[in-house]
Amino acid sequence: MNEISKIFASYLMDDYKIKGTTEEDVDKAIYKIFRYDLLDDAQQILFNSIINEALDVPWIAEQLTDIWDRYNQEILDCQKEDSYENR
């Protein structure tokens, strides 16, 4: 984990509004954000090298999963409270 991974994880959650939490979801988001499909073969190789050095994708996916798990638990807790109040 490094500082840029923290910043990028925050960006994915707050600005990009990523829907998934797997490494594959993070990779797909990276490619979409940086328009990977517009790069030629040599540029894609260079891009992949830079991203692999700069970002800790497994750590980012783990953080996103933890955040989603906490969020879903909060929803469940609120639903339980509502059901107790409505008895």
Side-chain angles (χ1 to χ4, degrees):
M1 181 273 308
N2 55 37
E3 192 62 28
I4 193 67
S5 293
K6 288 181 188 178
I7 293 167
F8 196 73
S10 293
Y11 171 81
L12 288 176
M13 288 293 294
D14 300 336
D15 298 315
Y16 184 75
K17 309 290 187 208
I18 193 168
K19 302 291 184 222
T21 62
T22 67
E23 289 181 40
E24 183 177 324
D25 295 323
V26 174
D27 284 336
K28 285 180 184 178
I30 290 168
Y31 292 153
K32 187 173 182 181
I33 291 164
F34 294 105
R35 302 182 64 157
Y36 184 81
D37 55 324
L38 297 179
L39 302 176
D40 65 32
D41 291 343
Q43 290 169 331
Q44 287 180 352
I45 291 168
L46 178 60
F47 177 83
N48 287 334
S49 296
I50 293 168
I51 290 299
N52 288 336
E53 287 295 318
L55 296 176
D56 186 346
V57 172
W59 181 87
I60 292 170
E62 182 180 306
Q63 298 309 301
L64 295 174
T65 300
D66 290 347
I67 290 167
W68 278 113
D69 288 349
R70 284 194 305 270
Y71 174 76
N72 287 326
Q73 186 60 49
E74 288 176 14
I75 290 173
L76 289 173
D77 292 345
C78 288
Q79 289 172 340
K80 285 180 186 176
E81 286 179 23
D82 287 347
S83 70
Y84 291 135
E85 290 175 2
N86 292 329
R87 287 185 178 184

